Amino acid sequence: MRAITVGDVAELITELRAKGRSEKTIAGVLATLQSVVRFAIRNGWIVENPVGKLEAGERPRPVRRRQRVLGREEISRLLAACAPRYRPLIATGLYTGLRISEVLGLIWDDIDLAAGELHLRAQLSRAHRASSARRVPPKTPAAIRDVPLAPQLIGVLSEYRRWSSGTAPASWVFATSRETPLGHRNAERRALNSAADRAGLNDDGWPRLRFHDLRHTFASHLIVDLRLDVAQVSRILGHARVTTTLDVYTHMFDEARHTLDVRAQMAGSAFADLLNGGQEEVEKGGKVITLPQAHGDRGGRLSAKEGRHCAGLLD
């Protein structure tokens, strides 16, 4: 450890780039090395941190993947293209915003269909050669949460449970034919990507649809459609900090706020009041001016002269 210099670290980055590794992959390698170095410093094996000495220009610069939010028409196409056995899985991801490991880690005891709530208490680990997939604690303590379920999703899950082979409280919600938990790769490839291919969602200029894109879509629904505040959205998504929610979804909150402000201003404008059909008063140069009402004998249409008159009053 004492022999590692900042030059060695910079050379490692250069070699990885020459091999065609992405900036995200290189950042992951550097993060692992940083953890090793910190462990060595804590134990007194080394004094200086060679990773910390890197110049800003030497460090990897991962480009954040552009968020993908599905529109209503795209959601309809995706659900219609799902294989019947996987449709409840995709619907749960879309309408709860759970991470893929959280969806796959669900057991029936986590879902209270009568109360319309999902109690997230664990997630599914990834299977390795040495150990099979199992329920483990969530990503952070904040990920332990209760998620409200839409009545429509309750209907989907209720029907799904009726024909599922494993319905005991401790049974996996999304299981294989052998009643083992569905794996991450199967969920991503066989369930989601196959449906996205059939729906034409993987050939429209975007990268391949990911399970995490379903989470972004649900977040958009909470922010734009339901207009929940940042604390509510953060709690439902299970973010460790509210600042995380703001970092990821600031543009959505800004867009929702902008749309709401514009609509409120339009609703209170004299221009919009013209649609009420009666004579309207507007203020011009400190004077209150009454706009003429459309004549009923012409089917509510203003003449060209009256139209020019109104335009002149508002000009």
Side-chain angles (χ1 to χ4, degrees):
M1 290 297 299
R2 294 192 185 97
I4 298 176
T5 66
V6 63
D8 296 324
V9 179
E11 186 178 350
L12 171 65
I13 295 173
T14 301
E15 289 178 356
L16 290 172
R17 282 176 175 151
K19 292 179 179 179
R21 301 293 186 266
S22 70
E23 292 294 291
K24 182 179 179 180
T25 297
I26 298 172
V29 171
L30 203 62
T32 302
L33 179 59
Q34 179 81 289
S35 297
V36 174
V37 169
R38 285 175 179 168
F39 183 77
I41 291 175
R42 190 180 70 182
N43 285 277
W45 301 333
I46 59 175
V47 177
E48 294 185 327
N49 183 347
V51 179
K53 291 184 175 182
L54 286 171
E55 297 290 340
E58 296 176 307
R59 293 179 177 275
R61 296 172 176 263
V63 178
R64 177 176 286 185
R65 173 175 167 142
R66 191 161 49 124
Q67 284 183 6
R68 184 173 188 181
V69 174
L70 299 179
R72 294 180 184 178
E73 188 267 341
E74 291 176 312
I75 293 173
S76 296
R77 282 161 48 196
L78 178 64
L79 292 175
C82 286
R85 65 169 299 193
Y86 293 131
R87 188 173 185 272
L89 169 71
I90 302 304
T92 300
L94 265 170
Y95 289 90
T96 63
L98 267 60
R99 303 172 178 92
I100 185 171
S101 58
E102 294 172 340
V103 174
L104 298 178
L106 290 173
I107 58 176
W108 283 113
D109 196 43
D110 295 329
I111 302 177
D112 190 339
L113 295 173
E117 275 192 334
L118 186 153
H119 309 294
L120 201 290
R121 300 293 179 264
Q123 64 179 354
L124 186 71
S125 67
R126 290 186 178 271
H128 299 284
R129 291 181 181 179
S131 62
S132 57
R134 65 191 188 281
R135 273 167 65 96
V136 296
K139 186 177 180 181
T140 64
I144 299 175
R145 63 198 188 275
D146 296 330
V147 180
L149 301 177
Q152 296 87 340
L153 181 59
I154 294 174
V156 170
L157 292 175
S158 298
E159 180 63 22
Y160 173 64
R161 189 174 189 180
R162 275 195 285 270
W163 59 262
S164 295
S165 56
T167 59
S171 296
W172 300 101
V173 175
F174 303 109
T176 65
S177 57
R178 294 175 294 178
E179 297 188 12
T180 57
L182 193 67
H184 293 70
R185 180 172 295 182
N186 283 344
E188 194 84 53
R189 294 185 180 179
R190 293 187 183 179
L192 181 60
N193 274 155
S194 295
D197 285 339
R198 287 191 292 269
L201 299 178
N202 282 336
D203 54 5
D204 52 2
W206 285 89
R208 292 184 70 80
L209 190 68
R210 305 172 305 163
F211 211 92
H212 212 72
D213 295 325
L214 307 185
R215 181 170 166 85
H216 289 323
T217 300
F218 180 70
S220 174
H221 169 65
L222 297 180
I223 298 167
V224 178
D225 297 334
L226 302 186
R227 301 193 184 281
L228 301 187
D229 61 46
V230 63
Q232 292 172 308
V233 174
S234 182
R235 185 165 55 251
I236 292 174
L237 293 179
H239 285 155
R241 295 176 296 276
V242 172
T243 52
T244 301
T245 311
L246 284 174
D247 287 343
V248 178
Y249 299 114
T250 293
H251 64 290
M252 290 188 187
F253 282 105
D254 288 345
E255 180 181 332
R257 190 180 303 113
H258 171 73
T259 302
L260 187 63
D261 289 344
V262 170
R263 288 178 60 191
Q265 293 178 32
M266 290 176 67
S269 71
F271 175 71
D273 282 339
L274 296 176
L275 294 174
N276 290 336
Q279 292 185 338
E280 302 297 337
E281 294 182 342
V282 296
E283 186 174 345
K284 177 178 173 65
K287 298 180 180 179
V288 175
I289 301 173
T290 300
L291 299 180
Q293 184 178 9
H295 297 301
D297 60 349
R298 290 200 303 271
R301 293 180 299 169
L302 292 175
S303 67
K305 182 178 180 180
E306 289 169 331
R308 288 193 297 272
H309 178 54
C310 290
L313 292 175
L314 293 173
D315 188 6

